[in-house]
């Protein structure tokens, strides 16, 4: 049998790689070498090698043991990490240390819950407001169809370990200067599992799980905000004898051409010309529900806001909708025809200049002087 490659080399990541980086590398390689995609010779073995590396490096306990002891440190996990967490492996004091601090008598029984996975879904502004049904593609470990997670050929149950009798540990008596101690250590024959994979499943190579890419439907609730995360219970990775992990879907919302959002309010900047602002008008403005009429009163000033009731975002918890806030911006014309210029000139002759002594037009400095009594 050829020597196993370094797991970090298999996934193409550094030894200091974060968990997210390891998962991204795994998903990329799993898609590339999946037997349904790559039909070349050696692709299936490469795919299985990638899964094996990911199963170890994606598990904190297994990865720690692998980093310290390499492939030799994974025996106690039957493909995972079974290294002594205190670094006493092979020491005559190892069992004594475990007897005092509870290390003995607890065989490794495998994980009881599968790993969580993540995905990202992108929404339009309107989909975030009203909700949507989206599909996300995830690659996850699922129970092998051939052995149903037992890891044995044709789904047979692994036989009980003849050495430990299924307990996963071997007890022995040690004589020390402190007296006689009965200690327990993980069974070397079964790696502490209590059962022996005597005839491994050829499909999953005795791991009980294989990698699959799935398309999962996600119901996005109305009113969801950007940077939110939805949890889909049980849609994560599967594990034999335990419950699946969860799928966490991160929400990203694309910016809108002219709407912006603040909580449940939708904001819109509305440009008006000087005539519309001066004389007033009624015009159609966009909302997420479609065009709606908005009345602009005469004498409207730039920066003035108008509220359109129930045209905002629904409460994601089922409450009432917010409002749309329309902010008016009066635009000063920059290009006038000679006729328009003459009309403005004649209009200006009929209007007096603003009174600078009027409190509405006084500067900040004048107001400060009044407050100080100067």
């Amino acid at each position: 049998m050829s020597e196993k490659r370094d797991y970090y080399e298999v996934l193409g990541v550094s030894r200091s790689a974060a968990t997210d980086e390891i998962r991204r590398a795994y998903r990329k390689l799993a898609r590339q070498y999946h037997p349904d995609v790559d039909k070349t010779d050696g692709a299936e073995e490469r795919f299985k090698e990638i899964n094996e590396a990911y199963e170890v490096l994606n598990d904190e306990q297994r990865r720690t043991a692998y980093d310290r002891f390499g492939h030799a440190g994974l025996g106690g996990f039957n493909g995972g990490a079974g290294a002594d967490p205190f670094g006493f492996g092979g020491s005559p004091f190892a069992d004594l240390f475990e007897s005092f601090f509870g290390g003995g008598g607890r065989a490794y029984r495998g994980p009881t819950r599968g790993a969580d996975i993540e995905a990202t879904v992108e929404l339009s502004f309107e989909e975030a407001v009203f909700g949507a049904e989206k599909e996300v593609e995830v690659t996850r470990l699922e129970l092998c169809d051939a052995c149903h997670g037992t890891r044995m050929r044709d789904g047979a149950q692994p036989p009980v370990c003849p050495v430990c009798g299924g307990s996963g540990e071997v007890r022995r008596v040690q004589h020390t200067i402190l007296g006689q101690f009965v200690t327990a250590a993980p069974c070397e024959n079964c790696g502490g599992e209590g059962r022996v994979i005597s005839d491994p499943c050829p499909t999953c190579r005795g791991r009980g799980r294989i990698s699959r890419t799935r398309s999962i439907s996600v119901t996005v609730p109305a009113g969801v905000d950007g940077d939110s995360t939805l949890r889909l219970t049980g849609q994560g990775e599967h594990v034999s004898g335990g419950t699946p992990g969860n799928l966490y879907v991160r929400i990203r919302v694309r910016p809108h051409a002219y709407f912006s959002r603040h909580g449940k309010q939708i904001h819109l900047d509305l440009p008006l010309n000087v005539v519309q602002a001066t004389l007033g008008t009624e015009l159609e403005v966009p909302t997420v529900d479609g065009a709606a009429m908005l009345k602009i009163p005469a004498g409207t000033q730039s920066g003035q806001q108008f509220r359109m009731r129930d045209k905002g975002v629904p409460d994601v918890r089922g409450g009432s909708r917010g409002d749309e806030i329309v902010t008016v911006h009066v635009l000063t014309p920059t290009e006038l025809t000679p006729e328009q210029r003459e009309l403005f000139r004649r209009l200006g002759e009929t209007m007096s200049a603003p009174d600078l002594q009027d409190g509405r037009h006084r500067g900040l400095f004048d107001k400060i002087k009044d407050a100080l009594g100067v």
Side-chain angles (χ1 to χ4, degrees):
M1 179 180 292
S2 61
E3 184 177 351
K4 289 186 178 182
R5 287 204 298 158
D6 180 78
Y7 287 147
Y8 291 98
E9 179 185 343
V10 170
L11 296 184
V13 298
S14 67
R15 302 189 75 85
S16 60
T19 302
D20 289 344
E21 183 181 351
I22 289 173
R23 289 177 180 172
R24 286 195 298 269
Y26 163 70
R27 289 168 184 163
K28 178 181 178 182
L29 292 172
R31 292 190 185 98
Q32 180 180 351
Y33 290 99
H34 194 284
D36 293 338
V37 177
D38 192 341
K39 304 296 185 180
T40 60
D41 293 339
E44 183 176 354
E45 289 301 315
R46 174 78 167 127
F47 182 70
K48 293 177 180 178
E49 183 184 44
I50 292 166
N51 285 330
E52 180 179 335
Y54 176 68
E55 285 191 27
V56 173
L57 300 186
N58 189 48
D59 186 289
E60 182 177 354
Q61 190 178 15
R62 298 180 180 190
R63 182 178 178 182
T64 299
Y66 177 73
D67 287 344
R68 294 182 62 186
F69 302 103
H71 294 288
L74 304 177
F77 289 89
N78 192 28
D84 173 18
F86 300 103
F88 285 100
S91 167
F93 298 102
D95 294 324
L96 179 62
F97 187 86
E98 290 176 354
S99 68
F100 281 120
F101 295 97
R106 291 199 304 268
Y108 178 78
R109 299 298 179 185
T112 58
R113 182 174 175 274
D116 297 331
I117 57 177
E118 297 179 358
T120 300
V121 64
E122 188 174 77
L123 306 176
S124 67
F125 189 89
E126 289 81 2
E127 286 175 329
V129 171
F130 296 113
E133 289 287 333
K134 307 293 284 188
E135 296 287 326
V136 295
E137 186 178 90
V138 299
T139 301
R140 66 188 183 189
L141 291 173
E142 298 182 359
L143 295 184
C144 173
D145 291 333
C147 68
H148 309 293
T150 68
R151 298 180 293 168
M152 293 281 289
R153 185 184 298 272
D154 299 327
Q157 291 298 319
V160 173
C161 175
V163 176
C164 65
S167 67
E169 61 186 21
V170 177
R171 296 179 179 270
R172 61 179 180 268
V173 178
Q174 281 190 310
H175 299 277
T176 72
I177 58 175
L178 300 178
Q180 179 175 294
F181 292 91
V182 178
T183 60
C187 175
E188 296 181 359
N189 186 58
C190 64
E193 292 192 13
R195 293 181 177 272
V196 179
I197 309 302
S198 55
D199 187 12
C201 171
T203 302
C204 63
R205 298 174 65 183
R207 297 188 186 91
R209 301 188 297 176
I210 58 176
S211 177
R212 285 196 178 93
T213 299
R214 298 285 190 186
S215 182
I216 297 176
S217 178
V218 180
T219 300
V220 180
V224 69
D225 202 352
D227 296 324
S228 299
T229 301
L230 305 179
R231 182 180 68 185
L232 276 66
T233 303
Q235 292 293 350
E237 294 190 340
H238 297 193
V239 62
S240 179
T243 59
N246 300 327
L247 168 62
Y248 290 90
V249 180
R250 301 187 183 278
I251 302 297
R252 297 288 181 266
V253 181
R254 294 191 297 271
H256 197 275
Y258 39 83
F259 289 134
S260 62
R261 175 178 173 179
H262 301 278
K264 290 169 53 177
Q265 289 185 344
I266 292 177
H267 286 249
L268 171 70
D269 290 328
L270 180 66
L272 294 180
N273 62 44
V274 291
V275 175
Q276 291 173 314
T278 302
L279 302 181
T281 186
E282 187 173 5
L283 69 168
E284 284 189 345
V285 297
T287 74
V288 290
D289 298 302
M293 299 303 296
L294 176 64
K295 185 175 182 179
I296 304 296
T300 292
Q301 302 298 308
S302 189
Q304 192 168 341
Q305 292 185 326
F306 298 91
R307 184 182 300 271
M308 303 183 73
R309 299 286 183 184
D310 299 325
K311 296 296 184 182
V313 181
D315 192 314
V316 72
R317 292 174 293 275
S320 61
R321 286 184 66 175
D323 303 326
E324 180 173 324
I325 306 299
V326 180
T327 302
V328 167
H329 297 275
V330 180
L331 303 181
T332 302
T334 58
E335 296 182 3
L336 297 174
T337 66
E339 180 182 4
Q340 290 171 331
R341 186 178 297 277
E342 177 61 21
L343 290 173
F344 268 101
R345 187 189 65 78
R346 291 166 55 188
L347 177 63
E349 291 177 349
T350 66
M351 302 176 66
S352 59
D355 184 0
L356 297 180
Q357 299 303 315
D358 187 341
R360 292 175 297 175
H361 302 284
R362 300 179 68 206
L364 176 62
F365 184 69
D366 292 325
K367 295 180 182 178
I368 293 175
K369 289 198 300 180
D370 289 346
L372 296 176
V374 179

